[in-house]
Amino acid sequence: MLMRDLHTGVACLDSLRRPLRDLRISVTDRCNLRCTYCMPGEVFGRDFVFLRHADLLSFEEIVRVARQCIALGVRKIRLSGGEPLLRHGIERLVEMLARLCDNDGKPIELAMTSNGTLLAKKARALKDAGLMRLNISLDALDEDIFRRITGNRVSPEAVLEGIAAAEAVGLTPVKVNAVIKRGVNESEILPLVRRFRHSGVIMRFIEYMDVGNTNGWRLDDVVSAGEILALIEREYPLVPIASLTEGEGVAERWALQDGSGEIGVITSVTQAFCHTCSRLRLSTDGKLYTCLFATDGIDLRTLIRAQPGDEVALRQHITAVWRSRADRYSQLRHEMTEALSGRIEMSYIGG
């Protein structure tokens, strides 16, 4: 059953009849890695100007937006960046958001996407604050490949330590995400599957996407989900896992036939899932984006700060943004890629 706007009783649907279900919140535009597909070092170098602290939404402002999005139907909130663990006091924001409930009085599902390198020291505090789930990025186990992808900043062991820390405090099941780019790390697909068999970790592979303008994306660099699955099946037969509900997630789910684990593939290039996309994105500096591939955001910060007590106006503004939404970039990718040369960077809006 669709959630209803508390004031109007009308389902908050966009122009293509998609409900608002998920809110992605970018809490910082900074990251301690320089992954080639997200924040390449040649662009995000020492001279790159990041947002000033005064430009960032405060935790209280973030919670205001989250509360109104929940009233419009949001059931899940995911914190991202940049690297969210770089935001000072992030545990306090988690605690504030964890107190929020949906329209049926149930706690909101609260998750985070992280590169995992700082997680070993933060996992316990995040769990105690109310975080429920973690997605951790790990594109390679091989030291040389990992360092080439991430800008030669840390070892994959730091990520593995973060995963172990998350499991130890009960932030499970951990999902590990690997973006696969042809000629870079497709050789790591099977090692990653082998590494996380029998561990309870869900390994997910993501098709290399054309987010932003700095990663030099080409269709030829995409290793399709079909290729990924075929490679895995040579060693481990797979059985599809049916989704329990419509819009349960963006990943196609597969179980290893021997019962040793689960993998997922995210097919945003070869099999677009725009028709079920229910995500609204809030940038670090308070802009609303209705698509990961958007070129422009709608300023919310000005309204928030000009009218600090007007929750009705805030909800009406968010409602208007969602109801006018018509994005389906991935379905139209091939005719739109050249036209949309000003796409927002993933490091700014969150993956």
Side-chain angles (χ1 to χ4, degrees):
M1 183 178 69
L2 293 175
M3 292 294 184
R4 304 284 168 175
D5 184 305
L6 292 184
H7 288 293
T8 66
V10 178
C12 192
L13 304 177
D14 71 8
S15 67
L16 299 177
R17 307 293 295 172
R18 296 169 296 189
L20 176 58
R21 289 285 180 267
D22 304 271
L23 177 63
R24 294 288 178 98
I25 302 173
S26 175
V27 297
T28 179
D29 61 334
R30 299 169 187 263
C31 187
N32 57 331
L33 302 184
R34 289 296 178 267
C35 295
T36 53
Y37 58 81
C38 181
M39 292 183 71
E42 60 270 23
V43 176
F44 296 89
R46 288 184 178 180
D47 297 329
F48 186 83
V49 180
F50 290 96
L51 292 168
R52 301 174 305 156
H53 184 74
D55 294 329
L56 311 184
L57 289 185
S58 69
F59 291 167
E60 291 75 15
E61 290 169 335
I62 289 172
V63 172
R64 279 189 67 194
V65 176
R67 185 177 288 113
Q68 298 311 317
C69 288
I70 290 168
L72 296 173
V74 161
R75 298 171 178 171
K76 179 167 64 177
I77 293 175
R78 178 176 296 281
L79 302 178
S80 64
E83 171 47 50
L85 296 185
L86 288 177
R87 180 75 185 259
H88 180 69
I90 188 65
E91 302 91 337
R92 187 166 70 88
L93 176 60
V94 169
E95 185 176 12
M96 295 165 72
L97 292 170
R99 298 188 189 123
L100 302 179
C101 294
D102 67 18
N103 293 337
D104 293 324
K106 298 177 182 178
I108 289 297
E109 183 179 343
L110 184 57
M112 179 182 289
T113 295
S114 168
N115 62 37
T117 58
L118 305 174
L119 188 56
K121 295 180 179 180
K122 291 276 192 177
R124 169 52 66 187
L126 292 169
K127 173 67 174 178
D128 290 347
L131 190 70
M132 297 176 183
R133 292 198 300 103
L134 272 165
N135 285 11
I136 299 175
S137 300
L138 178 61
D139 299 315
L141 294 169
D142 179 271
E143 183 93 16
D144 291 337
I145 295 174
F146 181 86
R147 288 185 176 277
R148 285 200 299 272
I149 293 172
T150 60
N152 203 34
R153 296 198 168 200
V154 296
S155 164
E157 287 302 317
V159 183
L160 293 173
E161 289 173 11
I163 294 170
E167 292 180 301
V169 301
L171 284 168
T172 54
V174 174
K175 294 180 180 178
V176 172
N177 294 338
V179 175
I180 303 301
K181 183 178 179 181
R182 193 177 306 281
V184 176
N185 66 332
E186 68 263 51
S187 62
E188 290 295 287
I189 294 171
L190 280 174
L192 284 165
V193 173
R194 295 183 193 119
R195 173 63 177 76
F196 292 113
R197 287 178 67 227
H198 301 292
S199 70
V201 170
I202 298 171
M203 186 67 228
R204 307 199 307 176
F205 298 99
I206 303 173
E207 293 178 340
Y208 174 48
M209 293 183 291
D210 48 330
V211 179
N213 308 283
T214 60
N215 65 9
W217 184 87
R218 301 180 312 142
L219 185 58
D220 289 346
D221 293 330
V222 176
V223 180
S224 71
E227 293 175 87
I228 293 169
L229 292 171
L231 178 61
I232 296 171
E233 284 215 282
R234 293 176 196 169
E235 189 164 327
Y236 302 108
L238 298 171
V239 179
I241 302 174
S243 295
L244 297 176
T245 60
E246 183 179 353
E248 180 181 48
V250 298
E252 292 184 4
R253 300 172 58 203
W254 298 78
L256 301 182
Q257 192 174 59
D258 62 5
S260 60
E262 178 185 328
I263 67 162
V265 288
I266 298 176
T267 62
S268 56
V269 176
T270 62
Q271 298 177 49
F273 39 81
C274 299
H275 62 290
T276 61
C277 181
S278 59
R279 295 177 180 172
L280 184 62
R281 298 172 185 273
L282 178 66
S283 73
T284 313
D285 57 348
K287 292 185 177 68
L288 285 177
Y289 288 86
T290 54
C291 181
L292 180 60
F293 302 95
T295 55
D296 298 300
I298 294 90
D299 177 30
L300 208 59
R301 188 183 66 193
T302 298
L303 173 65
I304 291 171
R305 295 183 177 176
Q307 303 179 50
D310 195 340
E311 301 309 294
V312 173
L314 179 56
R315 188 182 306 187
Q316 288 175 340
H317 195 70
I318 296 170
T319 301
V321 170
W322 186 260
R323 287 185 175 160
S324 65
R325 175 183 187 245
D327 304 277
R328 52 192 185 102
Y329 170 81
S330 288
Q331 291 179 334
L332 304 174
R333 172 178 276 105
H334 299 293
E335 59 191 83
M336 293 179 68
T337 298
E338 292 187 7
L340 295 180
S341 58
R343 292 186 300 274
I344 198 68
E345 297 297 334
M346 185 162 61
S347 57
Y348 168 77
I349 195 175

